[in-house]
Amino acid sequence: MADQEMADRAEPASIVEGDCGHCGPQEIWIWRKDGTRAQKKQQVSAALLEEFIANANKIRDCTLCRAKFSRRFDMPDIWWRDYNRKGNGYTGAQNILDKDGKVVGYVTWTLFKTKHVDPEHGYKWTKVNIFTHWLKSGRRVVLSFEQDKGERKTQESIVSTLLGSLTERQLDDPFWAYHKLMDLVVSINDEAVWSITKMVREIEKNGTHSIEKPNYRSLNDLARHTIHITEVLSVTCETAQRIMAQHRSWMDGNCGGGDENGAEGLALSRNAQERLSFYAQVLSSFRHRMLSTKDRLTNEINLSFNTIAQIDSATTVKDSATMKKIAWLTAAFLPATFTSAIFSTTFFNFSPEANRWTMSDKFWVLWVVALPLTIAMPIIWKLYPAESGKNTDGSKPSRSHSHSGNTTATELSTVKIV
């Protein structure tokens, strides 16, 4: 390939001649042995390192492009599975075999996913989705698949991370891309973790639980984002550990030759292994930070809930005291009310002309009616709740009901924020 002026961004180019035209153009970056980067517009063939940017979802849905990618980059069938598209993260690797069954290369595929949350609780997902193709003949290819919503900043960071400070000797290790790319993954997760941690810290510093009612909808959204970030970060930690195991397995089978080049290659691979180990430990510390942040947010939600419950309880106590006073006032006037009610009946009559009271000889009727009713009311009140909790045959009602021949237990439970 003829030398050309280095470009800050590669112009669109087709990965293979005869592109379907529906999956969109792919950006191609070329790294030369002298350390420079450049674009390429024609079919890639003899470059030492090629870095492609493509849209994975469009390619997965295109039969033509899937066949071309699989043939050109030895992509396994499992990479095209739909569960890979929906996964939270993964990594895989396998040898490339020729017709005689000899190992001629190595491929790996990895997905890292991170969720970023802004102060308004809006969010976006960031993916680092790559496929590496490494041949013993000297050809190295990295496929970097585009973000769902065209996140340009992340793609530029991937290109800069992979091709920056790259030496030809590093390319002898099939995992060369990972010990460089993990630095970007760590940085992305660092930003995601601390954005959530700062928001939780602001809630802790606010201290308005006893002054105003918290925004439980906002707290719930923040808790949901925290759970998501903790989930994908845990998967990222497992992915990093798996990459280390894959690299260690490759080292055991390919490093350690007796000559000088073999010793140098082993030293470089050990350095890469140590770098991967460091990144895995940093990601693990981020995970512990997220678990701590999640617990702190749970404590704040519980504190808010319990504080409001205490405020409501205090209000209820005040209302109860007020009702008690009203009850005492009612009881104080009850004798006079009862007396005035008795004398206001027609059984009594006051004649101003005669200046005397007269009482009907039927006064006994009042007591014949009033006394039985007075006795009956507390009896009915006491018996009615007990009878309402029984079936017609006198047995207690069951806590289950039948639906389509199956019995489903119906229980009352107390919701507790944990």
Side-chain angles (χ1 to χ4, degrees), residues 207-240:
T208 58
H209 304 301
S210 60
I211 301 176
E212 57 185 13
K213 186 176 181 179
N215 186 345
Y216 284 112
R217 179 72 260 180
S218 176
L219 290 175
N220 178 76
D221 289 341
L222 187 58
R224 173 169 55 88
H225 295 318
T226 302
I227 292 172
H228 285 165
I229 294 177
T230 303
E231 174 191 356
V232 295
L233 184 55
S234 297
V235 175
T236 298
C237 290
E238 294 175 4
T239 301

Side-chain angles (χ1 to χ4, degrees), residues 282-295:
V282 173
L283 289 171
S284 178
S285 70
F286 288 169
R287 178 177 177 273
H288 287 291
R289 166 69 66 178
M290 278 306 304
L291 292 173
S292 174
T293 301
K294 179 182 174 183
D295 291 340

Side-chain angles (χ1 to χ4, degrees), residues 85 111-114 125-129 147-148 154 158:
R85 182 188 313 197
L111 170 66
F112 295 103
K113 187 180 290 188
T114 309
W125 287 96
T126 298
K127 298 179 183 179
V128 176
N129 188 4
Q147 307 292 308
D148 289 338
T154 303
I158 291 174

